[in-house]
Amino acid sequence: MNHLLIAPVVLPACLGAVILLAMRTDLVLQRIFSIAGTLALVGVALYLNWLAADGTISVYRLGNWAAPFGIVLMLDRLAALMLLLTAVLALAVQLYALGSGWDRKGWHFHALWQFQLMGVCGAFLTGDAFNLFVFFEVLLIASYGLMIHGGGAMRLRAGVQYVVYNLAGSTLFLIALGTLYSVTGTLNMADMAARVAELPADQTAVLRAGAILLMLVFAVKAALVPLHFWLPATYANAPGPVAALFAIMSKVGVYAILRFFTLVFPPDGTTERIAMELLLPAALFTLALGQIGVLGAKSLSRMAAFAAIGSIGTLVVSMAQFTPEGVSAAIYYMIHSTLAAGALFLVVDLIGARRRDLWLIPEPPIAHAGLIGVLFFAAAVAVTGMPPLSGFVGKLLVLQATAGSPQWVVIWAVVLVTSLIAIAGMMRAGSLVFWKATEVGAAPARSTAAGAQGGRIKLEPDEQVQDVGDAPSHGLALVSVGALLGGLVLLTVFAGPVTEYAQGVAAQLLDPAAYIDAVLIRQEGVR
């Protein structure tokens, strides 16, 4: 066994514990070790991608126990790609947190950051359904702490809502796993897939119920309508770097849907219609709601949150086809949307640090308005799918992948119309923040009470207000945003090779025989 397969889980777990126990009073050491650990994670992820690039499926058996009794971690092209995407996003955003000073606004930021990476990476690598639940809980517990980092009444209120909603989702997850275990007698995903395939068609009623429950759980994690309520307030009130990292966290739910409904419940199996009948309408409503929310948002942070919802809808529209073209387009768009959403949240944070709030109302010009305006424009172009960046390529791939669908007219209409709505929303935000800023000479008066009265916006003391970091270190924050936008440029330039790789990922996903063989059959030398 290659022991580097477990490194994406063990490395951040150990590092988080060391930071928490030995460095909690020394921010400089925390920064050095945490950045070094995330950089090492990038290196490990690159190696694992090289290992999986030829289609090899690698299995790590903890304690060398045979599956399905022992715990296994599994690496294929999709898992390796998601690990690399997580590591790259985490490194850029963590550097931003250091440069903007966000990591010194509360306790244990870097320890929680590492535990969050442990949970996300573990969710991508695990080959066991119950351990997927465990890693979900690890990343959620860490995200609870990161969500309220820096304090504030509005942030705490949104954090409580986030906790309650996800606890309900976790309870439903356990119920779904219990239902599936009662039918299959196993929670190893490869073993479950083999047993589901052997079930007679007239004995799958409970299996279908379990599949629906599991779909609902993952829809909560991915923030699909109508289970999206937690996301706008959570992302809008979270610290900027945390919201940017959460761009990959919502993709864990999408990844879980893709993994389960190509492996355990394949499109040609007894549950073939469940995924499409539930996913496609939910994805279309999610896309429409997200883009309309971009146009109607009253603050930059909520606008970015709704843009993230819209990107999830576009992604799932393509994935719900469960065809090689649909899955490969979804994978390309997943890479794009993660980087684009992360960049948008960071740009919004840069604007908030200079305006002292994030309301979409005219105010005096901000410092470095030209440079930040360019960054905002680039992020807006990427998020809305305008040429020449990778969002345009991604949406073309999605439209091409759905051309053969019976609902293609509806899909194309929703994608194209909502894209225009999102463009209008981004133009409105940009004009209010940058162009109309020159029309006012002083900031409008605000009250610090909650709510609105007499048509005037009122602001909580801690709501959407951020401290400005030291001027010299803001250069690192700007470089971090530029790095994410540069990643989108590279994704556009190398769209051909990336699309070919995505097609290889899709082909491997839609042919689960190799996965089952690697986990259950090729077990030489195990106990």
Side-chain angles (χ1 to χ4, degrees):
M1 291 187 295
N2 190 330
H3 293 289
L4 277 178
L5 262 69
I6 201 173
V9 178
V10 172
L11 177 63
C14 294
L15 193 54
V18 169
I19 290 173
L20 187 63
L21 296 174
M23 307 175 191
R24 60 182 180 272
T25 60
D26 192 331
L27 181 60
V28 174
L29 277 180
Q30 289 183 37
R31 287 175 167 179
I32 292 172
F33 277 81
S34 188
I35 294 291
T38 308
L39 188 60
L41 183 62
V42 173
V44 171
L46 285 169
Y47 169 76
L48 294 180
N49 269 267
W50 173 80
L51 193 65
D54 62 354
T56 300
I57 296 178
S58 304
V59 181
Y60 189 89
R61 308 178 195 278
L62 276 74
N64 205 28
W65 291 101
F69 310 105
I71 297 173
V72 299
L73 300 180
M74 184 282 310
L75 181 80
D76 63 357
R77 286 170 171 166
L78 178 62
L81 179 63
M82 297 306 294
L83 287 176
L84 181 59
L85 184 60
T86 300
V88 169
L89 177 70
L91 180 61
V93 175
Q94 194 174 13
L95 289 172
Y96 177 91
L98 189 152
S100 62
W102 261 113
D103 64 337
R104 61 172 180 262
K105 295 182 182 180
W107 291 92
H108 310 310
F109 178 86
H110 290 285
L112 289 170
W113 191 269
Q114 294 300 323
F115 289 134
Q116 176 88 17
L117 292 181
M118 169 198 172
V120 173
C121 293
F124 291 142
L125 281 172
T126 185
D128 183 90
F130 183 77
N131 284 303
L132 178 62
F133 167 79
V134 172
F135 284 119
F136 266 1
E137 293 310 297
V138 171
L139 71 90
L140 286 173
I141 291 170
S143 70
Y144 299 154
L146 290 172
M147 165 64 205
I148 61 174
H149 177 77
M154 294 298 294
R155 189 168 294 144
L156 181 60
R157 185 184 306 170
V160 170
Q161 171 190 313
Y162 173 63
V163 170
V164 171
Y165 202 79
N166 278 282
L167 284 176
S170 298
T171 303
L172 187 60
F173 199 171
L174 284 177
I175 295 171
L177 292 180
T179 303
L180 292 173
Y181 186 80
S182 71
V183 178
T184 62
T186 183
L187 289 175
N188 180 283
M189 288 190 282
D191 194 34
M192 193 182 296
R195 298 192 186 195
V196 166
E198 296 171 355
L199 282 176
D202 59 349
Q203 298 180 19
T204 59
V206 178
L207 178 68
R208 290 171 182 268
I212 292 173
L213 288 173
L214 210 56
M215 177 68 74
L216 292 176
V217 171
F218 297 148
V220 170
K221 308 300 183 184
L224 290 174
V225 171
L227 303 172
H228 68 288
F229 300 107
W230 63 272
L231 191 147
T234 300
Y235 282 36
N237 289 284
V242 174
L245 182 64
F246 281 7
I248 192 66
M249 195 173 70
S250 59
K251 303 303 188 299
V252 178
V254 176
Y255 168 87
I257 294 173
L258 194 54
R259 177 67 71 190
F260 266 84
F261 287 86
T262 55
L263 175 63
V264 181
F265 311 114
D268 57 348
T270 57
T271 57
E272 59 181 310
R273 298 200 59 82
I274 289 177
M276 292 190 67
E277 289 178 353
L278 292 177
L279 274 182
L280 186 57
L284 291 173
F285 278 111
T286 302
L287 173 57
L289 177 76
Q291 307 295 49
I292 293 171
V294 170
L295 181 60
K298 294 182 179 180
S299 71
L300 282 166
S301 56
R302 289 190 73 86
M303 182 200 71
F306 277 108
I309 292 177
S311 70
I312 292 168
T314 306
L315 165 62
V316 178
V317 162
S318 182
M319 187 185 73
Q321 306 304 307
F322 287 103
T323 61
E325 297 78 15
V327 173
S328 62
I331 290 166
Y332 182 92
Y333 196 83
M334 186 184 296
I335 302 171
H336 157 80
S337 62
T338 302
L339 297 178
L344 181 61
F345 279 114
L346 296 187
V347 173
V348 166
D349 190 71
L350 285 173
I351 295 171
R354 287 156 174 78
R355 294 181 99 216
R356 314 301 297 182
D357 68 67
L358 294 168
W359 294 108
L360 284 172
I361 53 176
E363 292 190 7
I366 63 174
H368 312 105
L371 176 58
I372 296 179
V374 170
L375 295 176
F376 178 82
F377 177 76
V381 166
V383 168
T384 56
M386 294 174 63
L389 292 181
S390 53
F392 181 70
V393 178
K395 286 196 174 180
L396 284 180
L397 291 173
V398 170
L399 294 176
Q400 183 180 6
T402 56
S405 170
Q407 298 86 15
W408 74 271
V409 174
V410 176
I411 294 172
W412 282 39
V414 172
V415 171
L416 295 175
V417 171
T418 56
S419 294
L420 293 176
I421 293 173
I423 291 170
M426 290 291 179
M427 289 174 60
R428 166 180 166 267
S431 64
L432 285 171
V433 173
F434 298 102
W435 291 350
K436 291 190 176 182
T438 60
E439 298 175 7
V440 294
R446 289 185 180 81
S447 168
T448 58
Q453 197 174 43
R456 185 176 296 279
I457 295 175
K458 296 190 175 184
L459 195 64
E460 290 277 359
D462 294 301
E463 181 183 2
Q464 316 227 24
V465 176
Q466 301 166 3
D467 298 326
V468 180
D470 299 330
S473 63
H474 260 248
L476 181 58
L478 292 170
V479 169
S480 301
V481 178
L484 290 179
L485 294 173
L488 295 172
V489 173
L490 291 176
L491 188 60
T492 307
V493 173
F494 296 101
V498 174
T499 302
E500 290 179 7
Y501 188 82
Q503 290 169 350
V505 174
Q508 190 175 55
L509 277 173
L510 295 172
D511 182 20
Y515 182 107
I516 297 172
D517 180 73
V519 174
L520 297 179
I521 307 301
R522 292 188 279 113
Q523 301 200 65
E524 298 83 0
V526 298
R527 295 185 182 182

